[in-house]
Amino acid sequence: MRSLFRRRVALAAARARRRAILMAAGRKHAPSRKPKKHQRLRRYGRGLLVGAVAIVGMLIGVSLGGSTTQDIGPFRAQLSLTPSFTGDTSVEIPPLGSLELDSHDGPAHLRIRLESLDEARTRAFAAKSGNLEQISHDAVDQLNLGVRRLAMQTAGFGLLGGMILVMLVFRARRETAIAGFVVIAVLASTGAATLLTFKPAAIQEPTYRGLLVNAPAIIGDAKRITDRFEEYRDQLQKLVLNVSKLYGTISALPVYEPDTSTTKVLHISDMHLNPAAWGVVRSVADQFDIDIIVDTGDINDWGSEPEASYVNVIGDLKVPYLYVRGNHDSAVTAAAVARQPNATVLDDTVATVEGLTFAGIGDPRFTPDKSTDETDEQQHQEVVEAGNVLAAKIRSSAKPVDIAMVHDPVAAQQLAGLCPLVLAGHKHERSIARLNPNPANAAPALAPVVAPSPSESPAAVKALQERTLLMVEGSTGGAGLRGLEKSKPLPLALSILYFDENRHLSAYDDIQVGGTGLTEVALQRHLVQPDTKAGPTPTPSAEGSPSGSPSASPSPTG
């Protein structure tokens, strides 16, 4: 009985051991097929995740390091590369707009932005032999150097960004190395796509954006420019030399200051969006220690929103700036000027600055298409009416007005006898005249400025002094882009007015930079003499002999 029981127990134990062995074997071998497939999926998923993180890190690195600056000729340019589905190249010239070039179809967009004109390099270029062709070649080499440096810098930052981000996420050397290979492959593919789709001829067919939409109508197509390259090159060389010589010549100009009570007013007009003009204005303002700058309009060309940034330089001049709107300036332009901390916009208003009382009104027309017509009776009457409105404001002013400001000198005729001096622009040509008083303010006749006659009695001279002096400024911007319409550029013109302690105009300087073949700055000093009916026009004083003979060429009015 016992032996039978033992055999049954032993048999049950053996069966239990066999079942245990089979179960163990089943657990060891049966699931082995599933982990292999699962592990492969995990490896593929992890590899894709590493690649995605690497590309994200690369894009972060490109955004942080994908830009650089490069000196291109006298300009400081900013170059940048950004991811893009269309490729292409854009050349931005603020505030004028941009040129869009269909240069390539790769996944990278090249952006070139001309930031500023460097004063020191401009002078250095002018001090050399003046070989503009060599300067042009150097500019191309500098641009190529900048693009190559930008490409290497962008690739380096992209590689570093991809590897750092993968290392931070996975904390494994193997994945970090894989990320490096992924980024290198992506960058190499981008470079290859750019080179294979590069189109050198695209520079001949640019797409204009912003204000540069008007450029083809102004300067002609690329073929015409190429045909006239020699002429353009000669004129551009003169312009570079003229502007650069300002800095050397201006320091030698005599400053008229009979005593410390003299107030110096710088009169500018018709800047027409010329960025080089600001350098001239700033240099004169600093050298002559100007107290006030007055601007008689047409600071912009089309009065558009992109042009508003052009007036930001006003705040850097650090002196009071008085402005009236021209026919090329819109309400947007006037608002941009008014935002400058040192600027005052006069529009049928009166303001007292540095002891001088000014009254001004903006041009009633807005003709950014340059459609002013001197024979248009309606336009003429609009300007005359603006003069009448300002005349009423001057009559009602609590303080006697010393200087009136208008854009078109036609409006000045209505102010004769109401104030000693009227400043205007618009004509792009310097002129000075006396306005005979007319009680009815009805278009007084113009008489030339004359010197005193010894035969005149003091009483007669005093009576004649009441005639209003009209001073029309030339174009401080050389007519801007419109200067390209002429075979020779207009001079950059501006004037300094000297007022004594009695607020009387005692002298003025006419300054011109370049234009009409001049190669240096010209200054002509005038002493204001008592008004008489006969005599020659004032001549420069002995202490203020000009450094060149200023002569303004006629130009279409703005």
Side-chain angles (χ1 to χ4, degrees):
M1 196 70 180
R2 289 182 179 175
S3 61
L4 181 61
F5 177 76
R6 289 192 185 116
R7 279 197 296 270
R8 288 180 177 177
V9 170
L11 183 59
R15 290 174 179 172
R17 283 196 298 272
R18 283 196 300 270
R19 283 197 299 267
I21 291 172
L22 291 174
M23 290 178 65
R27 285 195 301 267
K28 181 177 180 182
H29 298 289
S32 62
R33 299 182 186 88
K34 293 182 179 179
K36 286 183 179 179
K37 184 177 181 181
H38 181 65
Q39 287 175 359
R40 284 198 299 271
L41 292 176
R42 287 185 60 185
R43 284 197 296 268
Y44 292 153
R46 188 177 180 86
L48 291 175
L49 184 59
V50 169
V53 173
I55 292 176
V56 170
M58 179 193 70
L59 294 177
I60 295 175
V62 168
S63 65
L64 294 176
S67 65
T68 186
T69 57
Q70 173 67 39
D71 294 337
I72 301 176
F75 290 96
R76 172 61 58 88
Q78 183 182 41
L79 287 71
S80 61
L81 279 174
T82 55
S84 170
F85 290 108
T86 59
D88 300 341
T89 299
S90 63
V91 182
E92 299 181 4
I93 312 173
L96 298 177
S98 65
L99 301 176
E100 303 292 336
L101 306 176
D102 185 18
S103 57
H104 62 280
D105 298 326
H109 177 76
L110 174 61
R111 174 175 171 264
I112 303 172
R113 179 182 175 89
L114 299 183
E115 295 284 357
S116 60
L117 182 69
D118 187 87
E119 173 186 326
R121 289 199 303 276
T122 301
R123 283 186 285 178
F125 286 138
K128 294 179 182 179
S129 61
N131 189 340
L132 190 63
E133 185 174 356
Q134 183 61 45
I135 293 175
S136 302
H137 291 162
D138 292 343
V140 173
D141 294 338
Q142 291 164 350
L143 178 59
N144 288 333
L145 175 63
V147 171
R148 288 196 298 269
R149 187 174 72 250
L150 174 63
M152 290 187 291
Q153 177 180 310
T154 303
F157 271 84
L159 179 61
L160 195 61
M163 295 180 69
I164 289 177
L165 187 59
V166 169
M167 184 178 63
L168 293 175
V169 172
F170 295 94
R171 300 183 181 277
R173 294 182 180 178
R174 182 171 176 271
E175 280 73 9
T176 303
I178 292 174
F181 287 114
V182 170
V183 172
I184 291 174
V186 172
L187 293 175
S189 301
T190 300
T194 301
L195 292 176
L196 290 174
T197 60
F198 181 66
K199 293 170 273 199
I203 196 171
Q204 299 178 6
E205 299 177 350
T207 300
Y208 297 90
R209 305 293 185 192
L211 301 177
L212 290 178
V213 170
N214 300 275
I218 295 173
I219 62 176
D221 56 25
K223 186 178 185 301
R224 180 184 173 192
I225 293 177
T226 302
D227 294 340
R228 300 184 61 191
F229 176 75
E230 293 296 329
E231 179 181 348
Y232 286 150
R233 185 179 65 177
D234 293 341
Q235 295 305 324
L236 181 58
Q237 182 176 349
K238 289 181 181 179
L239 179 61
V240 172
L241 292 174
N242 291 339
V243 173
S244 62
K245 286 191 175 183
L246 168 71
Y247 302 102
T249 308
I250 203 71
S251 60
L253 296 177
V255 178
Y256 178 82
E257 190 171 4
D259 54 56
T260 56
S261 63
T262 298
T263 302
K264 286 163 283 189
V265 176
L266 177 60
H267 181 200
I268 64 176
S269 188
D270 296 86
M271 299 278 279
H272 284 293
L273 210 64
N274 186 344
W278 284 125
V280 176
V281 171
R282 183 185 290 108
S283 297
V284 173
D286 292 343
Q287 175 65 28
F288 287 82
D289 194 21
I290 294 298
D291 299 300
I292 309 169
I293 299 176
V294 297
D295 183 347
T296 48
D298 276 0
I299 194 171
N300 280 173
D301 225 347
W302 289 276
S304 63
E305 185 68 37
E307 293 174 279
S309 61
Y310 176 74
V311 308
N312 291 341
V313 181
I314 293 174
D316 300 331
L317 297 175
K318 306 301 183 184
V319 295
Y321 191 100
L322 300 177
Y323 160 85
V324 294
R325 191 180 64 255
N327 61 288
H328 284 258
D329 301 329
S330 64
V332 172
T333 305
V337 174
R339 286 194 294 268
Q340 304 307 309
N342 57 325
T344 300
V345 176
L346 297 178
D347 196 6
D348 193 25
T349 51
V350 177
T352 299
V353 181
E354 298 290 337
L356 294 173
T357 300
F358 296 81
I361 192 168
D363 196 296
R365 303 161 297 181
F366 178 49
T367 55
D369 57 352
K370 306 175 181 66
S371 61
T372 54
D373 185 355
E374 302 301 325
T375 64
D376 189 315
E377 183 61 27
Q378 181 179 353
Q379 290 189 11
H380 178 81
Q381 288 303 318
E382 289 176 357
V383 177
V384 170
E385 181 57 28
N388 288 330
V389 171
L390 185 60
K393 174 63 69 173
I394 293 174
R395 291 192 199 95
S396 62
S397 173
K399 291 184 177 181
V401 171
D402 303 304
I403 304 169
M405 296 170 55
V406 296
H407 177 64
D408 192 330
V410 171
Q413 297 178 352
Q414 311 309 309
L415 308 175
L418 295 177
C419 58
L421 176 64
V422 178
L423 302 180
H426 186 62
K427 297 293 186 179
H428 298 178
E429 184 178 3
R430 180 70 164 146
S431 64
I432 304 174
R434 293 279 184 182
L435 303 177
N436 293 321
N438 189 324
N441 288 324
L446 292 177
V449 177
V450 292
S453 170
S455 61
E456 293 284 356
S457 65
V461 170
K462 182 177 180 180
L464 291 171
Q465 283 178 338
E466 295 183 0
R467 292 200 303 173
T468 295
L469 181 64
L470 171 62
M471 305 183 78
V472 180
E473 189 55 83
S475 176
T476 309
L481 290 176
R482 301 177 66 190
L484 297 176
E485 297 174 357
K486 295 294 183 180
S487 59
K488 293 183 179 180
L490 284 177
L492 278 62
L494 60 167
S495 300
I496 303 173
L497 314 179
Y498 301 93
F499 293 84
D500 61 23
E501 67 276 8
N502 297 317
R503 310 192 309 278
H504 295 153
L505 180 64
S506 55
Y508 60 93
D509 292 336
D510 283 335
I511 300 176
Q512 292 188 357
V513 180
T516 61
L518 294 178
T519 57
E520 60 182 14
V521 177
L523 180 144
Q524 191 164 13
R525 172 67 44 74
H526 303 266
L527 297 179
V528 177
Q529 305 290 354
D531 180 29
T532 63
K533 288 184 177 180
T537 58
T539 57
S541 64
E543 61 171 325
S545 57
S547 59
S549 299
S551 59
S553 299
S555 168
T557 59

